[in-house]
Amino acid sequence: MDRRSFLAAATAGLLTTTGSVTSAGASTGTSRALKGDPFTLGVASGDPSADGFVLWTRLALDPLGGDGRGAMPSRDVDVDWQVATDERFSSIVRSGTLTARAGAAHSVHVELDGLRPGTPYHYRFRAQGRVSPAGRTTTTPEGERPLAFAVAACAHYEHGFYTAYRRLAEEEPDLVVFLGDYLYEYGPSGYTALAGQVRSHTPGKCATLADYRLRHAQYKSDPDLQRAHATAPWLVAFDDHEVENNWAGPVSSTGAPAFDRRRADAFRAYYENMPLRRASLRGTALQVNRRVSWGTLARFHLLDTRQFRDDQACLDGVRAGCDERLDEDRTLLGAGQWRWLEEGLHGSGARWNLLGQQIMVAHRDYRRGPGREVSLDSWDGYAAERARLLGSLAATSNPVVLTGDAHMHHLADLKADTDDPDSPVVARELVASSIASDGDGYRDRTWIAESLAENPHISYIDQRRGYIMARLTRDDLSVAYRTLDYISRRGAPARTAHRVTIPSAEQARA
Ligand SMILES: [Fe+2]
């Protein structure tokens, strides 16, 4: 489509515009032609509300352009955008132009409001005579309309193809919840999977803004990932690898020099590459703890379990005999986020409350036989705050915890007292395996049986790659754990390895 017909369509669309749009600034970019397609990183949407959402794209002529700027010129570039109610963009309801700034790696974030609730929309961008692929998104409904959502995490690019993203997209969920390790900071072969690797990271371990931008561009150039983003709005939250393995608040796990600078650069690149609202970027900090409601049916409480935590106890790792992990005043969420969470859980008004967070809440004993070994990077390393969280969930309407990080599917009962098997279950925890991290999966039945015996509150573990598909109604949450038999080649089907239906408390009593 040429500029004239795109804009003509846009003008026609303006006639039906209601409400307002806020954009990153008035258009000031020049219009000299770019050589090539600037939409090599795809499009995305995120954080829907009842009347809007965020639209994202980032211009790059060559994703692997060596400076992290995608071989784009050092000038700003105007980008037109359109939102329509139909796939063919014959009913455009909103459009505009804003400037993709060179200083923001030519990323674009459009925040819309004033749209109709519970309505699917289509969107696309145009720059320099090129039109982007179209994406599909939605506003959230009013009331208790059912919700289909996917949960995913951990997508190491070297470890396998992104078939799981493709399968997830084919299921056309209303929402995708992504719980961290969207990318990994390691240099080529810095962390290899058992099955080897199918492709290579950009050179070097990420340390500078250019490194992180380049790595994001490499990941975003994957067509399966692009398809998953174009299919539905995502709710994203980072874990450790978007910055560095197992960082904690201001502390680098590797003693990286000037870690505050590195973290700020990683956050900035993350923001530039994700469909997040502009208010999330706050100087050198990034706020991803936030709430997204799906009518009165569900409220997602997305947590940040990295930025505000105390350093891991006992030098981190999986260890036995660490008393420090039990200290009353250790925090994972930080005081501010803790208060925010408590207020949100209790004042929610939603029938279901879904905590989207990174690391396992359930106690997980890794030692066979007597004694226990726990991961000090998980909630086991912050046991007192976990006890407070479980107390809070016990007073929350239908809480469910969604988790990433583990590279294995898990289903766990969260008990009011982790150490007492007779203690009541206050919530279920659904841990999504990885999209790609750790490569081709496997199923070690002996190890799984032993792990389940050590952890009787855990009823399912699966070491294969995959994601979770969940369908939520007022009465129950129906969960399918999807797995793929391989990712070292393309084309694996996704199958349902395990199912569970969680009734609401009201339904269980009925
Ligand atoms: Fe991971």
PDB file of all heavy atoms in Angstrom, residues 37 47 111 142 151 172 176 209 215 231 243 249 288 307 339 344-345 374 397 444 456 459 481 503:
ATOM      1  N   ASP A  37      13.027  -3.034   4.094  1.00  0.00           N
ATOM      2  CA  ASP A  37      11.858  -3.188   4.956  1.00  0.00           C
ATOM      3  C   ASP A  37      12.257  -2.889   6.398  1.00  0.00           C
ATOM      4  O   ASP A  37      13.094  -3.587   6.965  1.00  0.00           O
ATOM      5  CB  ASP A  37      11.349  -4.623   4.838  1.00  0.00           C
ATOM      6  CG  ASP A  37      10.169  -4.900   5.764  1.00  0.00           C
ATOM      7  OD1 ASP A  37       9.623  -3.942   6.350  1.00  0.00           O
ATOM      8  OD2 ASP A  37       9.808  -6.075   5.903  1.00  0.00           O
ATOM      9  N   ASP A  47      -0.892  -5.243  27.508  1.00  0.00           N
ATOM     10  CA  ASP A  47      -1.578  -4.588  28.616  1.00  0.00           C
ATOM     11  C   ASP A  47      -2.948  -4.010  28.241  1.00  0.00           C
ATOM     12  O   ASP A  47      -3.187  -2.799  28.385  1.00  0.00           O
ATOM     13  CB  ASP A  47      -0.684  -3.489  29.205  1.00  0.00           C
ATOM     14  CG  ASP A  47       0.426  -4.089  30.065  1.00  0.00           C
ATOM     15  OD1 ASP A  47       0.761  -5.277  29.868  1.00  0.00           O
ATOM     16  OD2 ASP A  47       0.957  -3.384  30.938  1.00  0.00           O
ATOM     17  N   GLU A 111      -0.281   4.179  22.893  1.00  0.00           N
ATOM     18  CA  GLU A 111      -1.234   3.814  23.953  1.00  0.00           C
ATOM     19  C   GLU A 111      -2.611   4.341  23.564  1.00  0.00           C
ATOM     20  O   GLU A 111      -2.789   5.537  23.405  1.00  0.00           O
ATOM     21  CB  GLU A 111      -0.799   4.408  25.292  1.00  0.00           C
ATOM     22  CG  GLU A 111       0.394   3.687  25.877  1.00  0.00           C
ATOM     23  CD  GLU A 111       0.807   4.239  27.235  1.00  0.00           C
ATOM     24  OE1 GLU A 111      -0.063   4.457  28.090  1.00  0.00           O
ATOM     25  OE2 GLU A 111       2.021   4.465  27.411  1.00  0.00           O
ATOM     26  N   GLU A 142     -16.341  -6.368  29.793  1.00  0.00           N
ATOM     27  CA  GLU A 142     -16.959  -6.092  31.085  1.00  0.00           C
ATOM     28  C   GLU A 142     -17.579  -7.402  31.561  1.00  0.00           C
ATOM     29  O   GLU A 142     -17.777  -8.317  30.780  1.00  0.00           O
ATOM     30  CB  GLU A 142     -18.019  -4.997  30.916  1.00  0.00           C
ATOM     31  CG  GLU A 142     -17.363  -3.647  30.661  1.00  0.00           C
ATOM     32  CD  GLU A 142     -18.317  -2.590  30.124  1.00  0.00           C
ATOM     33  OE1 GLU A 142     -19.356  -2.959  29.549  1.00  0.00           O
ATOM     34  OE2 GLU A 142     -17.991  -1.397  30.277  1.00  0.00           O
ATOM     35  N   VAL A 151       0.303 -19.337  29.170  1.00  0.00           N
ATOM     36  CA  VAL A 151       1.379 -18.953  30.080  1.00  0.00           C
ATOM     37  C   VAL A 151       2.678 -19.522  29.528  1.00  0.00           C
ATOM     38  O   VAL A 151       2.750 -20.716  29.216  1.00  0.00           O
ATOM     39  CB  VAL A 151       1.152 -19.505  31.505  1.00  0.00           C
ATOM     40  CG1 VAL A 151       2.223 -18.988  32.459  1.00  0.00           C
ATOM     41  CG2 VAL A 151      -0.242 -19.151  32.008  1.00  0.00           C
ATOM     42  N   GLU A 172      -4.705 -19.339  19.373  1.00  0.00           N
ATOM     43  CA  GLU A 172      -5.405 -18.056  19.411  1.00  0.00           C
ATOM     44  C   GLU A 172      -5.965 -17.694  20.785  1.00  0.00           C
ATOM     45  O   GLU A 172      -7.171 -17.488  20.957  1.00  0.00           O
ATOM     46  CB  GLU A 172      -6.515 -18.030  18.353  1.00  0.00           C
ATOM     47  CG  GLU A 172      -5.968 -18.209  16.958  1.00  0.00           C
ATOM     48  CD  GLU A 172      -7.017 -18.001  15.867  1.00  0.00           C
ATOM     49  OE1 GLU A 172      -8.193 -17.754  16.205  1.00  0.00           O
ATOM     50  OE2 GLU A 172      -6.635 -18.074  14.701  1.00  0.00           O
ATOM     51  N   VAL A 176      -1.612 -13.587  26.316  1.00  0.00           N
ATOM     52  CA  VAL A 176      -0.420 -14.389  26.599  1.00  0.00           C
ATOM     53  C   VAL A 176       0.264 -13.768  27.815  1.00  0.00           C
ATOM     54  O   VAL A 176       0.494 -12.564  27.852  1.00  0.00           O
ATOM     55  CB  VAL A 176       0.556 -14.391  25.403  1.00  0.00           C
ATOM     56  CG1 VAL A 176       1.826 -15.161  25.743  1.00  0.00           C
ATOM     57  CG2 VAL A 176      -0.112 -14.974  24.161  1.00  0.00           C
ATOM     58  N   LEU A 209      24.196  -1.102  26.401  1.00  0.00           N
ATOM     59  CA  LEU A 209      22.896  -0.851  25.780  1.00  0.00           C
ATOM     60  C   LEU A 209      22.867  -1.430  24.363  1.00  0.00           C
ATOM     61  O   LEU A 209      21.890  -2.079  23.976  1.00  0.00           O
ATOM     62  CB  LEU A 209      22.629   0.663  25.759  1.00  0.00           C
ATOM     63  CG  LEU A 209      21.318   1.113  25.117  1.00  0.00           C
ATOM     64  CD1 LEU A 209      20.122   0.482  25.809  1.00  0.00           C
ATOM     65  CD2 LEU A 209      21.226   2.642  25.138  1.00  0.00           C
ATOM     66  N   ARG A 215      20.637  -8.039  21.041  1.00  0.00           N
ATOM     67  CA  ARG A 215      20.116  -9.351  21.443  1.00  0.00           C
ATOM     68  C   ARG A 215      18.593  -9.388  21.323  1.00  0.00           C
ATOM     69  O   ARG A 215      18.018 -10.353  20.826  1.00  0.00           O
ATOM     70  CB  ARG A 215      20.572  -9.656  22.875  1.00  0.00           C
ATOM     71  CG  ARG A 215      20.282 -11.083  23.343  1.00  0.00           C
ATOM     72  CD  ARG A 215      21.011 -12.143  22.522  1.00  0.00           C
ATOM     73  NE  ARG A 215      22.449 -12.026  22.486  1.00  0.00           N
ATOM     74  CZ  ARG A 215      23.283 -12.456  23.440  1.00  0.00           C
ATOM     75  NH1 ARG A 215      22.814 -13.041  24.509  1.00  0.00           N
ATOM     76  NH2 ARG A 215      24.599 -12.322  23.294  1.00  0.00           N
ATOM     77  N   THR A 231      -0.547 -12.334  17.482  1.00  0.00           N
ATOM     78  CA  THR A 231      -1.806 -13.060  17.674  1.00  0.00           C
ATOM     79  C   THR A 231      -2.664 -12.510  18.796  1.00  0.00           C
ATOM     80  O   THR A 231      -3.892 -12.572  18.728  1.00  0.00           O
ATOM     81  CB  THR A 231      -1.495 -14.549  17.951  1.00  0.00           C
ATOM     82  OG1 THR A 231      -0.846 -15.071  16.801  1.00  0.00           O
ATOM     83  CG2 THR A 231      -2.743 -15.335  18.236  1.00  0.00           C
ATOM     84  N   VAL A 243      18.525  -9.301  32.297  1.00  0.00           N
ATOM     85  CA  VAL A 243      19.629  -8.463  32.754  1.00  0.00           C
ATOM     86  C   VAL A 243      20.886  -9.343  32.902  1.00  0.00           C
ATOM     87  O   VAL A 243      21.841  -9.213  32.143  1.00  0.00           O
ATOM     88  CB  VAL A 243      19.300  -7.778  34.101  1.00  0.00           C
ATOM     89  CG1 VAL A 243      20.472  -6.921  34.566  1.00  0.00           C
ATOM     90  CG2 VAL A 243      18.044  -6.925  33.971  1.00  0.00           C
ATOM     91  N   GLY A 249      18.231  -7.204  43.128  1.00  0.00           N
ATOM     92  CA  GLY A 249      18.231  -5.783  43.457  1.00  0.00           C
ATOM     93  C   GLY A 249      19.437  -5.100  42.850  1.00  0.00           C
ATOM     94  O   GLY A 249      19.653  -5.148  41.640  1.00  0.00           O
ATOM     95  N   VAL A 288       7.394  -3.099  36.373  1.00  0.00           N
ATOM     96  CA  VAL A 288       6.553  -4.094  35.686  1.00  0.00           C
ATOM     97  C   VAL A 288       5.513  -4.703  36.612  1.00  0.00           C
ATOM     98  O   VAL A 288       4.649  -5.432  36.148  1.00  0.00           O
ATOM     99  CB  VAL A 288       7.380  -5.229  35.031  1.00  0.00           C
ATOM    100  CG1 VAL A 288       8.239  -4.682  33.903  1.00  0.00           C
ATOM    101  CG2 VAL A 288       8.202  -5.989  36.055  1.00  0.00           C
ATOM    102  N   GLN A 307      13.883  -6.893  41.183  1.00  0.00           N
ATOM    103  CA  GLN A 307      14.410  -5.543  41.336  1.00  0.00           C
ATOM    104  C   GLN A 307      14.470  -5.086  42.791  1.00  0.00           C
ATOM    105  O   GLN A 307      15.287  -4.243  43.138  1.00  0.00           O
ATOM    106  CB  GLN A 307      13.533  -4.590  40.519  1.00  0.00           C
ATOM    107  CG  GLN A 307      14.116  -3.241  40.275  1.00  0.00           C
ATOM    108  CD  GLN A 307      13.291  -2.407  39.280  1.00  0.00           C
ATOM    109  OE1 GLN A 307      13.660  -1.302  38.998  1.00  0.00           O
ATOM    110  NE2 GLN A 307      12.199  -2.915  38.749  1.00  0.00           N
ATOM    111  N   ARG A 339       3.110  -3.923  49.869  1.00  0.00           N
ATOM    112  CA  ARG A 339       1.891  -3.180  50.233  1.00  0.00           C
ATOM    113  C   ARG A 339       0.937  -3.098  49.038  1.00  0.00           C
ATOM    114  O   ARG A 339      -0.267  -3.295  49.167  1.00  0.00           O
ATOM    115  CB  ARG A 339       2.259  -1.759  50.698  1.00  0.00           C
ATOM    116  CG  ARG A 339       2.633  -1.662  52.178  1.00  0.00           C
ATOM    117  CD  ARG A 339       2.618  -0.200  52.632  1.00  0.00           C
ATOM    118  NE  ARG A 339       3.478   0.638  51.804  1.00  0.00           N
ATOM    119  CZ  ARG A 339       4.799   0.748  51.982  1.00  0.00           C
ATOM    120  NH1 ARG A 339       5.408   0.094  52.966  1.00  0.00           N
ATOM    121  NH2 ARG A 339       5.517   1.514  51.192  1.00  0.00           N
ATOM    122  N   GLY A 344      -4.037  -4.798  46.491  1.00  0.00           N
ATOM    123  CA  GLY A 344      -4.652  -5.275  45.243  1.00  0.00           C
ATOM    124  C   GLY A 344      -5.388  -6.587  45.418  1.00  0.00           C
ATOM    125  O   GLY A 344      -6.431  -6.808  44.802  1.00  0.00           O
ATOM    126  N   LEU A 345      -4.834  -7.464  46.242  1.00  0.00           N
ATOM    127  CA  LEU A 345      -5.479  -8.761  46.454  1.00  0.00           C
ATOM    128  C   LEU A 345      -6.784  -8.590  47.217  1.00  0.00           C
ATOM    129  O   LEU A 345      -7.798  -9.194  46.886  1.00  0.00           O
ATOM    130  CB  LEU A 345      -4.549  -9.703  47.231  1.00  0.00           C
ATOM    131  CG  LEU A 345      -3.326 -10.224  46.478  1.00  0.00           C
ATOM    132  CD1 LEU A 345      -2.435 -11.033  47.414  1.00  0.00           C
ATOM    133  CD2 LEU A 345      -3.737 -11.074  45.272  1.00  0.00           C
ATOM    134  N   VAL A 374      17.291 -26.831  48.978  1.00  0.00           N
ATOM    135  CA  VAL A 374      16.338 -25.947  48.303  1.00  0.00           C
ATOM    136  C   VAL A 374      17.078 -24.927  47.442  1.00  0.00           C
ATOM    137  O   VAL A 374      18.258 -24.646  47.660  1.00  0.00           O
ATOM    138  CB  VAL A 374      15.446 -25.199  49.324  1.00  0.00           C
ATOM    139  CG1 VAL A 374      14.654 -26.184  50.173  1.00  0.00           C
ATOM    140  CG2 VAL A 374      16.262 -24.253  50.185  1.00  0.00           C
ATOM    141  N   SER A 397      -9.915 -13.956  47.002  1.00  0.00           N
ATOM    142  CA  SER A 397     -10.902 -14.705  46.219  1.00  0.00           C
ATOM    143  C   SER A 397     -10.214 -15.514  45.117  1.00  0.00           C
ATOM    144  O   SER A 397      -9.578 -14.948  44.229  1.00  0.00           O
ATOM    145  CB  SER A 397     -11.906 -13.722  45.597  1.00  0.00           C
ATOM    146  OG  SER A 397     -12.792 -14.398  44.742  1.00  0.00           O
ATOM    147  N   ASP A 444      12.320 -38.282  32.475  1.00  0.00           N
ATOM    148  CA  ASP A 444      13.063 -39.228  33.316  1.00  0.00           C
ATOM    149  C   ASP A 444      12.102 -39.691  34.410  1.00  0.00           C
ATOM    150  O   ASP A 444      11.939 -39.039  35.441  1.00  0.00           O
ATOM    151  CB  ASP A 444      14.290 -38.511  33.900  1.00  0.00           C
ATOM    152  CG  ASP A 444      15.133 -39.432  34.776  1.00  0.00           C
ATOM    153  OD1 ASP A 444      14.606 -40.472  35.251  1.00  0.00           O
ATOM    154  OD2 ASP A 444      16.315 -39.110  34.988  1.00  0.00           O
ATOM    155  N   PRO A 456       5.314 -34.156  48.298  1.00  0.00           N
ATOM    156  CA  PRO A 456       3.954 -34.676  48.116  1.00  0.00           C
ATOM    157  C   PRO A 456       2.914 -33.619  47.732  1.00  0.00           C
ATOM    158  O   PRO A 456       1.848 -33.976  47.232  1.00  0.00           O
ATOM    159  CB  PRO A 456       3.621 -35.304  49.474  1.00  0.00           C
ATOM    160  CG  PRO A 456       4.669 -34.847  50.414  1.00  0.00           C
ATOM    161  CD  PRO A 456       5.850 -34.414  49.634  1.00  0.00           C
ATOM    162  N   SER A 459       2.090 -32.529  42.254  1.00  0.00           N
ATOM    163  CA  SER A 459       1.432 -33.712  41.679  1.00  0.00           C
ATOM    164  C   SER A 459       1.833 -33.980  40.234  1.00  0.00           C
ATOM    165  O   SER A 459       1.483 -35.008  39.676  1.00  0.00           O
ATOM    166  CB  SER A 459      -0.085 -33.558  41.763  1.00  0.00           C
ATOM    167  OG  SER A 459      -0.478 -32.349  41.153  1.00  0.00           O
ATOM    168  N   TYR A 481      -1.542 -28.644  30.169  1.00  0.00           N
ATOM    169  CA  TYR A 481      -0.087 -28.524  30.050  1.00  0.00           C
ATOM    170  C   TYR A 481       0.301 -29.076  28.687  1.00  0.00           C
ATOM    171  O   TYR A 481       0.150 -30.272  28.430  1.00  0.00           O
ATOM    172  CB  TYR A 481       0.608 -29.327  31.148  1.00  0.00           C
ATOM    173  CG  TYR A 481       0.519 -28.719  32.526  1.00  0.00           C
ATOM    174  CD1 TYR A 481      -0.539 -29.024  33.381  1.00  0.00           C
ATOM    175  CD2 TYR A 481       1.512 -27.859  32.980  1.00  0.00           C
ATOM    176  CE1 TYR A 481      -0.612 -28.478  34.652  1.00  0.00           C
ATOM    177  CE2 TYR A 481       1.448 -27.307  34.254  1.00  0.00           C
ATOM    178  CZ  TYR A 481       0.386 -27.622  35.085  1.00  0.00           C
ATOM    179  OH  TYR A 481       0.328 -27.083  36.348  1.00  0.00           O
ATOM    180  N   PRO A 503     -11.790 -25.941  40.411  1.00  0.00           N
ATOM    181  CA  PRO A 503     -13.079 -25.266  40.601  1.00  0.00           C
ATOM    182  C   PRO A 503     -12.901 -24.012  41.461  1.00  0.00           C
ATOM    183  O   PRO A 503     -12.002 -23.962  42.302  1.00  0.00           O
ATOM    184  CB  PRO A 503     -13.922 -26.318  41.325  1.00  0.00           C
ATOM    185  CG  PRO A 503     -12.939 -27.190  42.030  1.00  0.00           C
ATOM    186  CD  PRO A 503     -11.652 -27.154  41.237  1.00  0.00           C
TER     187      PRO A 503
END
